[in-house]
Amino acid sequence: MPKFDDIAVGAELPALTVPVTVALVAGGGIATRDYFPGHHDLEAARELGSPHIFMNILTTNGLVQRFIDDWSGPEGRMRDLKIKLGAPNYPGDAMTISGAVTDKRESDRTVEVTLKGANSMGNHVTGTVRVSLP
């Protein structure tokens, strides 16, 4: 797991590829109490003009947190997370999350990671996460 003193601006994090499945999309909606039909009902999603059910932002947020946690380990602490959605995540696709350290602050021993999660249509999510490291 990374230590603050060993991290340099520009360091790339290992990519995380997540298969987007019906179970992930619908389960994420249910787990986050987001019962909007577009997240679990194919016909309702199609009535909205969508070809399939689509992932909600809370599931995306959880996947971004997993990406950071996998890298920072149990001693890392997320301090700030800012994300923005782009292209939808539909079942049958995959999202690959990648990122790099873009800022390092001695004053509070944190780094900022700038990330993106891309699928076959483009960037599903972009953002930054500030992480305290030991």
Side-chain angles (χ1 to χ4, degrees):
M1 298 300 127
K3 302 291 184 201
F4 179 81
D5 295 331
D6 299 332
I7 295 295
V9 170
E12 293 190 19
L13 282 65
L16 171 66
T17 299
V18 179
V20 181
T21 64
V22 169
L24 175 63
V25 174
I30 291 166
T32 60
R33 296 182 174 192
D34 182 351
Y35 303 116
F36 179 72
H39 301 313
H40 63 86
D41 183 326
L42 180 58
E43 291 308 312
R46 287 183 174 156
E47 286 176 16
L48 294 167
S50 179
H52 212 312
I53 62 174
F54 47 92
M55 186 175 288
N56 73 353
I57 192 168
L58 297 172
T59 303
T60 300
N61 193 54
L63 292 170
V64 167
Q65 290 178 11
R66 173 185 166 192
F67 171 70
I68 295 296
D69 283 347
D70 284 355
W71 171 72
S72 67
E75 294 183 49
R77 298 285 180 263
M78 279 182 266
R79 300 297 179 197
D80 189 36
L81 184 147
K82 296 175 185 170
I83 60 171
K84 180 178 176 182
L85 293 182
N89 260 344
Y90 294 126
D93 206 344
M95 177 177 63
T96 299
I97 307 174
S98 59
V101 175
T102 52
D103 184 54
K104 183 176 178 178
R105 265 192 334 222
E106 286 284 339
S107 61
D108 59 0
R109 297 183 62 80
T110 63
V111 297
E112 182 177 80
V113 174
T114 298
L115 61 90
K116 68 179 179 179
N119 60 33
S120 66
M121 295 182 293
N123 288 335
H124 169 70
V125 63
T126 56
T128 59
V129 181
R130 184 152 293 276
V131 184
S132 294
L133 295 173

